[in-house]
Amino acid sequence: RYSHTTVCASCCLFNTLGAWEYLSSYFHLKFNYKDDWDIYSFHINSTVSSRYATTVITSRVANRMDESKEIEFHVRIPKNAFISKFRMFMDGEVYDGVVKAKEQAQQQYTEAVSRGQSAGIVSSVGRTLEEFKTSVNVAAHKKVTFELTYEELLKRKLGKYELQIHARPMQPVKDFKVDVYIHEEAGINFLEVKGGLSTKALGNAITKTLADKQAWVYFYPTEDQQKTCDSCGEQGMNGDLVIVYDVNRDTTLGDITASAGYFVHHFAPSSLTRIPKNVVFVIDQSGSMSGRKIHQTRIALIHILNDLAEEDFFGLITFDGNIFHWKRELVQANQQNVGSAKEFARNIRDRGSTDINRAVLEGARMLNAHPREGSASILILLTDGDPTSGETNRERIQSNVKKAIASKFPLYCLGFGFDVNFEFLESMSLQNDGVARRIYEDSDADLQLKGFYEEVATPLLTDVTMIYIGGTNLTQTNFSQYYNGSEIVVAGQITDNNIETFTPQVLRNTRMTFTNTDVTVELTGTISDNRIQRVWAYLTVKQLLEKELQLSGPEKETVKKEAMELSLKYSFVTPLTSMVVTKPPGERTDVLHKPKEGERLDHHSQGPDGEAKFIIFCGRD
Ligand SMILES: *[C@@H]1O[C@H](CO)[C@@H](O)[C@H](O)[C@H]1NC(C)=O
Ligand SMILES: *[C@@H]1O[C@H](CO)[C@@H](O)[C@H](O)[C@H]1NC(C)=O
Ligand SMILES: *[C@@H]1O[C@H](CO)[C@@H](O)[C@H](O)[C@H]1NC(C)=O
C-alpha cells in the first residue's frame, strides 16, 4: 500500500516531469475511491450582493470500508478569491482552520516536521483557478464533512460580471447541488449561464430565474447527467459553471450601497461617448518568441490594428536587442496606415535578445511627442522574457520608465508564458497606472491578447477623481483612465455612520462632471450585517498588496504589515497569510498558502490541462 512516507522519501523535492507523472499516478492509485469512500453529498452555495460573492462548498463523505481511511477534500477556487474559512465536522467535533501570518504558519509546519510529526504544504497556480487540498483520517464506517468558504469581488469586464464555479467532486454524487443567489439593488439586466458544465444533458439540470433585483441559478444534475458534459466521465463532473450578469446603469453617479458604517460605490456611467486614443504597441520579437508565440502575436496584432477607430493614432515598435519602428511617429489609424502596419505585423520575425528598457522608453517618447487635447494615451508592452541586453537592471529600468511616463498615461504589460519575471512586469505596470496580465502559452493565446486589448480599447474618461465628503478610510480614489465595459469601485467608511452628511462626487480633469443631485445611497441589511465592510476589507487588502509590489525598503514593510493585519482581522488567506488546517490530535498538519501570480514555476510542473502546478507534499501517516 502506498503511504505518505513513500511519496515523501522518493519525491519530496520533485521538480521534474517524471515527478509530476509519478504524483498523478500516485493519486490515481491511492484515491481510486469508488469502493472505499463515498461522497454522498456535495453542495456549492454562492451568494452575491453588490458584486461581492461569498461561496461555501460543503462536501459530505462516508468511509464505507472496514478500516480507517485517509479522505481527501480537493477543490478549485477562483484566483481572485480569498479563502476565509475552512472547517471539518467529524464524530461530533468541529475542527476550525486558523488563518495565521505566513511566517508563523511556516514555523509551525517546520516544527511539526522536526518533531517527527508529518506536515503538508499545498498550493498551486492555474490560469483562473487555484487549488485547495487537504485530507483527514476517517475511522471505519464514519463520516466527515468539509466546509470551505471563499470571498471575491466580481470585476466588471467587457460589460459583464462573471462568477466562476468549478465542480470536480471526483465521483458522481447522489446529492449534488449548486445554488447561486444574486441580489443587486441597481437591478439585474441580464443573466446567463455558461461554462463546460452547461453543455449536453447537463444543460437540462440548470434552472435560472431573474426577477428585477434578484436572480437564482440552481444546478441539480442527477448522477447519470453528471457523466455527460464535455469534460465529464465515469469519475463524474469536471468543469465550470459560469454565471454571467450585469446590472442596470441609469444614474450617472452609479450606485452606492451602505451598511453598518461602510459603503461601496460602483461607478460605470452608460451615457458617455468614447474619446480618441493614442496607442503604442511595443512588441518583443526576441529569439524566445519563436514558433507559435510569434505567430499568435502576429495574428492578434493584425486583429487589433483592424479594430482601431479612424480617430485613433497609433505606433508600432518591435524590439530585440535593437528597436524597429514601423513609423517613427504616431500616425492616424486611417485605412492606408492600418493596411501598411498590418503588412509590417505580418513580417515580424523572431531573433536576438531583449532590450526592454530601450523599447519602452522609445514607446514613451513617441506618446510624449504626440500630445492631443481630449484624447487618452496608452502604452502596451508585450514580452516573453527578462531584459537581456542594454539596461538589464530591473530597478533601473523601472525608474527610467517611471520618469519617462511621468504619470501621463498608463503602461500595460503583457507577459507571454512563464519565462517572464511577472512580478517585475506587474510592479512596472502598477507604478505607471496600468496592470499586467499573463498570456498563457496555449492555442488561444491570440484570443487572450485580443481580449486584453478590447478591455482598454474604448477609453471614456481620463483622470477621474472620486470625492466623498463625510467618508474616510477610502480605497483608491484616483483613476487615470476609465474604459467602456469596466467599472470604478471605491469603498470606505462613513464618518460617524452619518448618511445625511455623506456626499459623493466624481471629478474629471478637476472639472466637475458628476454631482450628487440624483444619487441615493441604498441602505442594506441591519447593524450586524458586515458584508459591505468585508467588501471594503477585500478591496483594501488587494490594493495594499499591489502597493507593496511597487515599493521597497521600510515603506514596503509598513504596507505589508498593514495588509497582513487586515488579512488576519478578516481571516483572509492572502499571499501574506496561511490557513493552518486543524485536525484531530496525532494527524499531519496541513498549511495552505495562497500562491502569487508572479511565482516562477518550473516548466515541467505544468499539469495536463495547461495549468501550472506546484505542490510540496511531504509527511508521514
Ligand atoms: C446559502 O447560503 C445562504 C447564506 O449563508 C443561506 O441563507 C442559504 O440558506 C444557503 N442556501 C442553501 C441552499 O443552503
Ligand atoms: C460600450 O460598450 C457597449 C457594449 O458593451 C456598447 O453598446 C456601447 O456602444 C459602447 N459605448 C461606446 C461609447 O463605445
Ligand atoms: C488625486 O487627484 C487629485 C486631483 O486630481 C490630487 O489633488 C490628489 O493629490 C490625487 N491623490 C492621490 C492619492 O494621488
Side-chain angles (χ1 to χ4, degrees), residues 288-316:
S288 51
M289 286 286 289
S290 78
R292 190 160 74 163
K293 281 200 272 188
I294 199 93
H295 177 68
Q296 288 169 321
T297 301
R298 282 194 293 258
I299 293 179
L301 203 51
I302 289 165
H303 275 289
I304 289 169
L305 291 168
N306 254 338
D307 286 347
L308 289 170
E310 180 111 24
E311 72 260 31
D312 291 341
F313 276 67
F314 73 109
L316 176 56

Side-chain angles (χ1 to χ4, degrees), residues 282-289 294 297 317-320 348-356 381-386 420:
V282 179
I283 309 289
D284 186 344
Q285 61 173 13
S286 63
S288 51
M289 286 286 289
I294 199 93
T297 301
I317 301 172
T318 60
F319 72 100
D320 41 58
I348 297 175
R349 296 285 175 267
D350 56 283
R351 42 170 275 180
S353 51
T354 314
D355 190 346
I356 289 180
L381 165 71
L382 170 76
T383 179
D384 78 330
D386 291 340
V420 289

Side-chain angles (χ1 to χ4, degrees), residues 266-458:
H266 290 90
F267 176 70
S270 55
S271 53
L272 302 168
T273 50
R274 56 169 290 152
I275 51 180
K277 65 180 182 290
N278 317 303
V279 58
V280 172
F281 303 96
V282 179
I283 309 289
D284 186 344
Q285 61 173 13
S286 63
S288 51
M289 286 286 289
S290 78
R292 190 160 74 163
K293 281 200 272 188
I294 199 93
H295 177 68
Q296 288 169 321
T297 301
R298 282 194 293 258
I299 293 179
L301 203 51
I302 289 165
H303 275 289
I304 289 169
L305 291 168
N306 254 338
D307 286 347
L308 289 170
E310 180 111 24
E311 72 260 31
D312 291 341
F313 276 67
F314 73 109
L316 176 56
I317 301 172
T318 60
F319 72 100
D320 41 58
N322 290 308
I323 293 181
F324 303 87
H325 292 90
W326 164 62
K327 293 254 191 313
R328 292 215 161 256
E329 306 302 331
L330 267 68
V331 300
Q332 195 178 355
N334 59 29
Q335 218 175 4
Q336 190 193 350
N337 285 336
V338 166
S340 141
K342 278 180 359 195
E343 196 50 39
F344 180 84
R346 258 180 223 114
N347 287 307
I348 297 175
R349 296 285 175 267
D350 56 283
R351 42 170 275 180
S353 51
T354 314
D355 190 346
I356 289 180
N357 184 61
R358 234 174 98 199
V360 177
L361 293 185
E362 177 57 16
R365 183 204 61 79
M366 286 172 72
L367 283 171
N368 280 325
H370 191 89
R372 197 158 54 119
E373 187 65 28
S375 69
S377 294
I378 300 172
L379 185 54
I380 299 179
L381 165 71
L382 170 76
T383 179
D384 78 330
D386 291 340
T388 55
S389 75
E391 178 60 78
T392 55
N393 179 300
R394 296 200 185 103
E395 271 157 36
R396 278 202 293 273
I397 297 177
Q398 289 184 343
S399 115
N400 292 343
V401 168
K402 194 162 194 279
K403 216 160 83 196
I405 292 180
S407 301
K408 289 201 285 289
F409 44 83
L411 166 68
Y412 296 99
C413 294
L414 303 173
F416 206 148
F418 279 93
D419 288 334
V420 289
N421 182 326
F422 194 75
E423 199 162 304
F424 161 66
L425 294 183
E426 194 172 21
S427 69
M428 190 157 73
S429 305
L430 291 167
Q431 285 168 350
N432 297 289
D433 303 311
V435 294
R437 191 69 65 79
R438 196 193 287 290
I439 303 297
Y440 293 83
E441 278 188 72
D442 211 335
S443 54
D444 68 341
D446 52 327
L447 297 178
Q448 297 174 51
L449 287 168
K450 200 165 156 273
F452 170 79
Y453 170 74
E454 276 164 11
E455 286 175 41
V456 299
T458 317

Side-chain angles (χ1 to χ4, degrees), residues 579-590:
M579 170 79 76
V580 178
V581 176
T582 310
K583 293 190 186 180
E587 285 219 38
R588 206 187 61 226
T589 309
D590 279 350

Side-chain angles (χ1 to χ4, degrees), residues 43-47 54 56 58 177-181 218 220:
H43 289 179
I44 302 178
N45 180 0
S46 211
T47 310
T54 306
V56 183
T58 312
K177 283 182 177 172
V178 176
D179 291 277
V180 178
Y181 170 66
Y218 302 128
Y220 297 170

